[in-house]
Amino acid sequence: MPSEHSAYVSDTAPWRGALRPARSWLHSDAPALSLNGDWRFRLSPTTAVAEDFAAAGFDDDGWEGIPVPAHWVLEGDGAWGRPIYTNIQFPFPIDPPHVPDENPTGDYRRRFGLPDGWSDAERVLLRFDGVESLFKVWVNGVEIGSASGSRLAHEFDVTSAVRPGEDNVVAVRVHQWSAASYLEDQDQWWLPGIFRDVTLLARPAGGIEDVWLRTGYDDGRGRIEAEITADPGAFPVTLRVPELGVEQVWRTASDVAPVEVAAVRPWSAEEPRLYDATVSSAAETVTLRVGFRTVEIRGDRFLVNGRRVVFHGMNRHEAHPERGRVFDEAHAREDLARMKRFNVNAIRTSHYPPHPRLLDLADELGFWVVLECDLETHGFDNDGDWTGNPTDDPAWRAACLDRIERTVERDKNHPGVVMWSLGNEAGTGVNLAAMAAWTHARDPERPVHYEGDYTGDYTDVYSRMYATVPEAEQIGTDGSDAPLLGCTPAQGARQRTKPFLLCEYAHAMGNGPGALDQYEELVHRHPRLHGGFVWEWRDHGILARTADGTPYYAYGGDFGEVVHDGNFVMDGMVLSDDVPTPGLHEFKAVVQPIRFAFDGDRLAVTNLRHSADTSDLAFRWRVEHDGTVVASGDLEVAPVAAGESARVPLPAVPVAPDAETWLTIEAVLAAETAWAPAGHEVATAQQDRSVRRPVPAGRRLTGWLPDEGTFALGIAEFTGGSLTRLAGRAVTGPRLELFRAPTDNDEGTSDRLEGSDDALPEVSSAQLWRRDGLDRLTTRRIAVARTANALRTVDRVSAAHSALSVTVESVWSVEDGELELRVEIEPARGWRTVWPRIGVRFELPDGTAPVDGADWFGLGPHESYPDSLRAARTGRFSAAVEDLAAGYARPQETGHRSGLRRLTLTSAGTEVLHLTALPDTRGRRPGFTLARHTPQQLARAAHPHELPESATSHLIIDAAQHGLGSRACGPDVWPEFALRPEARTLRLRITGTAPHAR
């Protein structure tokens, strides 16, 4: 027979006891006392623990201290358990609503004093802003109630339990697992504990229980519709908006009526204009920030203030490597400011309401917010079966409704919230439909979103995740009858009458995503498409240390979890240490709100913003010759209205006869903002103005004779036909390199293969590369020959137990006084899959002067790949070896710079070798990677600290690289960017010192 404890944690009811109705999270002058700080704590392995600890006189001296807010698994150095990461899997048996008896249970106690004057309060409330997952509360030994809904606010009435003076005790029992855990299967760490604020509130007689100031905007005029929840004795109530001259007194509740405002500035994500407002009774003043905007759907357009919205958004979890989901306002503000600096304009609060202060910051800084309910049941998805799913079980209806009610009520005052989302990956069912109906009734203005409603039965927008580019294009194309996922033809036609958004796309796991620009172009061609939200904003790595103290960012499996989903939690545009990835730089460039087009001696400037003109921007130009600035200035551009274009004359451009000439245009902030300094780059474009110069033709060499290949040629020394030294230092190579350390996308097995080039369902590209032995190539020398001032070798390269091969011909010669290397790479017939790269590798042992840096003229400053080039510009750049690579949590391919012209390798700032890369006969330029580890070494390591100590720098010159795609959870590399086995040529000129020194 189930125990009392088992029945309690398996109860699907969302709350019991003296819980107050959900209401707005308000800034009030009514007395409040934070109970954050040091609490006493005890962890038990099961729920079957006596509740005697709740007694006021219980002796907790033997307990330890724990900070609140905090997650207990991130405290205590492992003594209180470890984090668990799963994406879809439940870390306990699927037996709803039951959970195991082995259920970590945390008991908390804290003493507090009731401040003087609180005896006059009509009620005293105890508010918990976030507790994972089920908790019960006692005050002074009196049981108050229990609640679940980890990321939701709960206020308990404790009036009858508190007493005057210092002698008060609050006790809380928190269970890691409960029936509610089945509703909280979000892709993140399971982190139990009291992780948000705990506050004691004195509610005055005649106070204001709740306020909702709904606003509207129309052609310069504003409207405020106030909903005041208060007892009759609280009236009169006064609404004040001083800046607008509003002072409206309502004598009774029945007097409350809309207030028209003659002249206001609207709120938008670009111009987040807020007005300070107060709602006051004689006993209490509530302060709000009001933004005037109107949200509507008109046909298949989603509009704010009458203009179409395009979401350049991010899915944002709450994650910090040391605090987990504990909120830190300074960190959150900088997080959002970073988003603004990278042209992010929207946030989907995946997959729960964030700390309420985050929404204050979003209102202030300017973001369109899709606010998501704390609901996901993904673990019930058994190949689309969803057996036992709570969202279609009436027994869970109250819990589902409670979650959406608490979501909407808490955050309804925020102008940035333009859409409600019922949750994520919870199948479909009657409870979701009921949640939508409640939301529509409570807030008719804001649309309801839920991706799992494929047929559009109860939602207002059509939403999908990880649709391919062709699929998204068909969704946006008028008259298309292409099938839609889960829809009959009639249902598909209905969905095409709605605004469409990608609630998740461009899965940003590791190196990637690729092809962002293809999605962006669709938005401008098809107005039904409203952009989307990249998955996701940041990695969720937890700072950990090895036994010797080496720090690293841990992911699934690093804490000994029974089930886990590995590094799938490391899929952000920002690394765990707040460093933006190259993918985020690419995103910024792709979605930049100002577009430039060169047309002869004029420049077209197009403003792609929602509503702001360009008066906040300054426009600059500069001209570079081989990366050196030779002229610059300001470009006069009169303000361009949103959605409009202007043409302006370009300055005279001095063109060099013997160097590349590049014209760069930038739009920068004219003045400092809350999120960036003046001069911050918002948008940029480049134009190549170079005089076309012939590429030095390769000299036809004849008279080859067999030779052992041991001699010196210019600055090169050879033994047995193999390079041993360059410019007096040890160097070996070139060695054919076809392998790259697989990216997370290369390892991906997503089935979104539409348009993919020879990919196989459930088989990753990396598996095919390992099958073909690309990571373990061996060489057999076929020939060594010599002629005057030249050396030629021919090698056959293949892998063990493979008949597939590549022929590599390397010719060293002295041309115009410089050493030239020409490498011809030709695959035999029979290769069946794409290749990761076609390149050659040089080894540069450290000796007394390790190669530790690079200066180059080419594309930079960040890494770039065939389907991720928009952030790259042509110029001169320099970086240390360690800064050339992105610090992905799992070592993988990184650091490739495309479009190489010249490269100087340096040691402690001193030039060591200089390479000039010549384009091939089709004008294609190589790229380079400089690293301290080989691709094979990177591929064998699960974390950076597992890489071996290195005494060598490795230079790879790539004729070509395979694209990135986003197949870790999305489409594969598009054929245009896929690298098929093919013949390629590399030509390099090498000198011991750089003739183009800075």
Side-chain angles (χ1 to χ4, degrees):
M1 182 173 179
S3 69
E4 176 185 350
H5 299 292
S6 176
Y8 163 60
V9 297
S10 299
D11 187 359
T12 61
W15 56 272
R16 302 282 184 186
L19 190 70
R20 298 287 299 172
R23 64 182 184 128
S24 301
W25 198 86
L26 298 171
H27 299 274
S28 167
D29 66 354
L33 176 66
S34 173
L35 296 186
N36 291 354
D38 189 56
W39 289 51
R40 307 303 292 165
F41 181 73
R42 175 185 69 183
L43 183 68
S44 303
T46 72
T47 59
V49 184
E51 295 179 348
D52 57 349
F53 82 101
F58 180 85
D59 183 3
D60 57 20
D61 285 347
W63 292 17
E64 297 182 74
I66 192 172
V68 169
H71 304 281
W72 72 62
V73 293
L74 298 183
E75 305 292 330
D77 197 25
W80 296 328
R82 291 294 193 181
I84 298 170
Y85 166 62
T86 62
N87 170 26
I88 300 173
Q89 306 175 84
F90 286 113
F92 46 81
I94 303 175
D95 182 24
H98 307 291
V99 293
D101 294 336
E102 295 84 1
N103 187 351
T105 296
D107 291 332
Y108 295 77
R109 285 172 55 89
R110 190 191 196 283
R111 297 186 179 277
F112 66 92
L114 201 66
D116 294 340
W118 280 43
S119 58
D120 296 332
E122 183 178 61
R123 289 191 311 279
V124 177
L125 306 183
L126 181 59
R127 183 176 68 210
F128 294 84
D129 284 314
V131 182
E132 184 174 330
S133 71
L134 170 67
F135 67 106
K136 185 184 290 187
V137 182
W138 295 260
V139 173
N140 294 326
V142 177
E143 183 175 323
I144 303 300
S146 61
S148 61
S150 297
R151 272 69 66 171
L152 304 170
H154 298 90
E155 291 182 339
F156 294 93
D157 191 333
V158 298
T159 310
S160 61
V162 294
R163 51 196 178 217
E166 297 296 320
D167 190 23
N168 286 274
V169 177
V170 58
V172 183
R173 171 161 286 182
V174 181
H175 304 287
Q176 178 160 14
W177 311 124
S178 68
S181 301
Y182 287 103
L183 303 179
E184 296 177 359
D185 188 28
Q186 291 97 338
D187 177 8
Q188 61 181 354
W189 296 97
W190 298 85
L191 299 174
I194 305 173
F195 68 94
R196 286 185 184 161
D197 306 299
V198 181
T199 311
L200 202 64
L201 306 171
R203 301 299 305 140
I208 297 169
E209 185 67 16
D210 201 3
V211 175
W212 186 3
L213 298 184
R214 309 187 200 208
T215 64
Y217 177 81
D218 184 19
D219 195 24
R221 297 180 60 85
R223 179 181 176 91
I224 302 174
E225 296 184 28
E227 178 183 290
I228 311 295
T229 303
D231 292 337
F235 288 84
V237 170
T238 303
L239 167 67
R240 293 184 178 90
V241 188
E243 189 176 351
L244 299 176
V246 172
E247 184 163 344
Q248 177 67 53
V249 179
W250 293 302
R251 297 292 175 186
T252 67
S254 61
D255 293 336
V256 177
V259 177
E260 302 292 338
V261 186
V264 300
R265 290 175 56 191
W267 185 96
S268 72
E270 296 159 356
E271 296 177 299
R273 185 64 165 89
L274 295 170
Y275 295 89
D276 291 331
T278 60
V279 177
S280 303
S281 68
E284 182 180 14
T285 296
V286 172
T287 302
L288 304 96
R289 293 187 300 177
V290 172
F292 291 91
R293 90 287 181 271
T294 296
V295 177
E296 62 178 320
I297 289 177
R298 195 180 302 164
D300 60 359
R301 308 290 194 272
F302 174 72
L303 310 176
V304 174
N305 299 332
R307 298 186 65 88
R308 172 176 172 254
V309 171
V310 174
F311 296 108
H312 293 133
M314 293 284 162
N315 281 277
R316 183 188 182 277
H317 270 286
E318 293 190 307
H320 186 275
E322 296 175 87
R323 295 185 296 272
R325 286 188 283 277
V326 174
F327 182 74
D328 177 86
E329 183 159 333
H331 186 263
R333 178 179 286 275
E334 174 54 27
D335 213 32
L336 268 58
R338 185 180 296 110
M339 284 187 176
K340 295 288 286 189
R341 293 194 293 272
F342 281 89
N343 291 333
V344 176
N345 71 0
I347 297 170
R348 178 183 178 222
T349 67
S350 51
H351 299 291
Y352 44 81
H355 190 284
R357 276 293 292 156
L358 185 100
L359 298 175
D360 289 340
L361 297 176
D363 290 343
E364 173 191 328
L365 296 174
F367 291 93
W368 313 114
V369 175
V370 175
L371 190 68
E372 195 144 275
C373 181
D374 188 4
L375 177 66
E376 179 167 338
T377 64
H378 203 172
F380 288 94
D381 181 10
N382 183 18
D383 294 327
D385 184 11
W386 292 96
T387 298
N389 185 17
T391 61
D392 200 32
D393 183 345
W396 297 81
R397 177 185 174 94
C400 292
L401 283 172
D402 181 73
R403 286 170 180 260
I404 193 64
E405 290 172 16
R406 294 189 178 279
T407 298
V408 172
E409 295 295 355
R410 194 197 74 170
D411 298 325
K412 56 186 179 284
N413 278 294
H414 290 282
V417 176
V418 295
M419 198 178 296
W420 301 114
S421 180
L422 303 178
N424 183 70
E425 292 175 324
T428 189
V430 293
N431 295 335
L432 284 159
M435 293 167 69
W438 182 91
T439 307
H440 284 128
R442 183 69 177 114
D443 184 6
E445 180 191 37
R446 292 181 176 107
V448 171
H449 164 275
Y450 175 64
E451 186 266 348
D453 181 25
Y454 296 143
T455 56
D457 291 336
Y458 46 84
T459 49
D460 304 305
V461 297
Y462 183 31
S463 175
R464 289 283 308 283
M465 55 176 67
Y466 307 111
T468 64
V469 170
E471 187 179 10
E473 184 169 29
Q474 288 302 313
I475 291 169
T477 300
D478 289 336
S480 172
D481 57 2
L484 300 184
L485 179 66
C487 289
T488 66
Q491 290 166 336
R494 179 175 65 181
Q495 290 293 63
R496 284 191 174 90
T497 67
K498 299 178 180 180
F500 175 77
L501 61 88
L502 284 161
C503 67
E504 295 177 22
Y505 81 112
H507 193 265
M509 187 175 179
N511 190 346
L516 285 167
D517 51 349
Q518 293 180 298
Y519 285 100
E520 180 66 12
E521 287 306 307
L522 292 181
V523 168
H524 299 292
R525 293 206 313 268
H526 302 287
R528 180 180 303 134
L529 308 185
H530 287 72
F533 298 82
V534 169
W535 186 266
E536 64 177 305
W537 171 240
R538 65 163 54 245
D539 282 0
H540 296 223
I542 291 179
L543 185 61
R545 294 185 182 275
T546 63
D548 65 2
T550 302
Y552 69 100
Y553 291 103
Y555 50 73
D558 288 336
F559 296 107
E561 301 100 307
V562 175
V563 296
H564 63 85
D565 287 300
N567 70 319
F568 208 70
V569 76
M570 310 298 253
D571 50 8
M573 286 284 198
V574 175
L575 301 176
S576 299
D577 59 0
D578 294 337
V579 174
T581 65
L584 184 56
H585 288 275
E586 180 76 1
F587 177 88
K588 176 187 177 182
V590 165
V591 307
Q592 62 185 29
I594 307 300
R595 181 171 291 185
F596 301 109
F598 297 96
D599 183 11
D601 60 355
R602 300 183 72 81
L603 177 73
V605 180
T606 301
N607 181 358
L608 300 175
R609 290 168 158 178
H610 171 264
S611 48
D613 65 21
T614 61
S615 58
D616 62 321
L617 302 177
F619 294 83
R620 299 173 180 171
W621 63 272
R622 68 176 180 273
V623 176
E624 293 166 288
H625 291 168
D626 276 2
T628 299
V629 177
V630 296
S632 62
D634 296 327
L635 196 65
E636 293 298 324
V637 180
V640 181
E644 301 297 328
S645 297
R647 290 166 58 84
V648 297
L650 286 167
V653 176
V655 176
D658 56 354
E660 290 190 38
T661 300
W662 286 86
L663 171 63
T664 301
I665 304 294
E666 292 179 330
V668 302
L669 290 179
E672 180 183 14
T673 69
W675 45 270
H680 166 77
E681 179 193 287
V682 173
T684 187
Q686 278 191 314
Q687 185 185 35
D688 186 358
R689 292 290 193 92
S690 306
V691 173
R692 300 303 170 201
R693 292 174 292 158
V695 176
R699 182 164 58 96
R700 187 169 182 272
L701 300 172
T702 59
W704 294 106
L705 295 174
D707 192 270
E708 68 173 20
T710 301
F711 72 109
L713 181 64
I715 64 170
E717 299 176 33
F718 300 90
T719 300
S722 298
L723 177 69
T724 57
R725 302 184 74 81
L726 275 175
R729 70 172 293 142
V731 181
T732 61
R735 173 191 176 94
L736 179 68
E737 188 61 84
L738 302 180
F739 185 67
R740 71 183 186 194
T743 68
D744 291 307
N745 291 310
D746 294 337
E747 296 281 14
T749 57
S750 166
D751 61 357
R752 291 167 172 83
L753 299 178
E754 183 177 358
S756 180
D757 202 354
D758 270 11
L760 301 175
E762 304 301 322
V763 178
S764 72
S765 294
Q767 288 174 273
L768 299 176
W769 300 339
R770 289 187 286 260
R771 177 200 68 187
D772 290 347
L774 299 188
D775 59 335
R776 48 185 172 83
L777 297 175
T778 60
T779 300
R780 179 172 64 85
R781 180 140 291 167
I782 296 174
V784 180
R786 181 178 172 184
T787 188
N789 292 324
L791 171 70
R792 175 177 177 265
T793 62
V794 180
D795 297 320
R796 184 180 188 272
V797 181
S798 54
H801 196 61
S802 174
L804 302 172
S805 66
V806 180
T807 300
V808 180
E809 179 190 60
S810 301
V811 177
W812 296 88
S813 62
V814 176
E815 308 291 342
D816 304 322
E818 295 181 334
L819 182 70
E820 177 170 315
L821 168 65
R822 188 184 78 247
V823 182
E824 302 284 354
I825 302 167
E826 184 173 347
R829 297 178 63 182
W831 292 94
R832 293 174 291 163
T833 186
V834 295
W835 278 354
R837 68 172 2 125
I838 302 175
V840 295
R841 189 172 91 214
F842 296 88
E843 313 291 348
L844 299 104
D846 289 349
T848 59
V851 171
D852 57 11
D855 298 343
W856 73 97
F857 176 43
L859 292 182
H862 309 288
E863 65 187 32
S864 55
Y865 293 84
D867 53 356
S868 183
L869 284 167
R870 293 285 286 274
R873 62 179 177 85
T874 302
R876 294 185 71 173
F877 309 97
S878 63
V881 169
E882 60 268 23
D883 295 330
L884 288 167
Y888 302 119
R890 185 187 68 79
Q892 57 194 275
E893 164 65 29
T894 178
H896 178 77
R897 266 69 178 178
S898 310
L900 179 65
R901 279 78 162 169
R902 291 191 294 275
L903 171 66
T904 300
L905 303 181
T906 61
S907 177
T910 300
E911 296 178 352
V912 174
L913 288 172
H914 178 78
L915 293 80
T916 298
L918 302 176
D920 66 11
T921 55
R922 293 171 55 182
R924 297 174 297 189
R925 296 186 182 275
F928 82 95
T929 302
L930 181 65
R932 295 292 290 174
H933 295 93
T934 67
Q936 291 77 9
Q937 289 173 321
L938 291 171
R940 287 193 289 268
H943 302 86
H945 68 268
E946 297 170 13
L947 291 167
E949 289 293 326
S950 174
T952 302
S953 292
H954 307 272
L955 173 66
I956 301 178
I957 304 294
D958 284 317
Q961 271 255 6
H962 186 53
L964 298 174
S966 59
R967 199 185 173 195
C969 185
D972 196 11
V973 176
W974 194 243
E976 179 183 353
F977 309 113
L979 178 58
R980 299 291 303 169
E982 62 184 34
R984 285 285 189 143
T985 300
L986 285 166
R987 285 182 68 196
L988 303 173
R989 294 277 180 97
I990 307 172
T991 60
T993 58
H996 300 276
R998 294 181 184 273

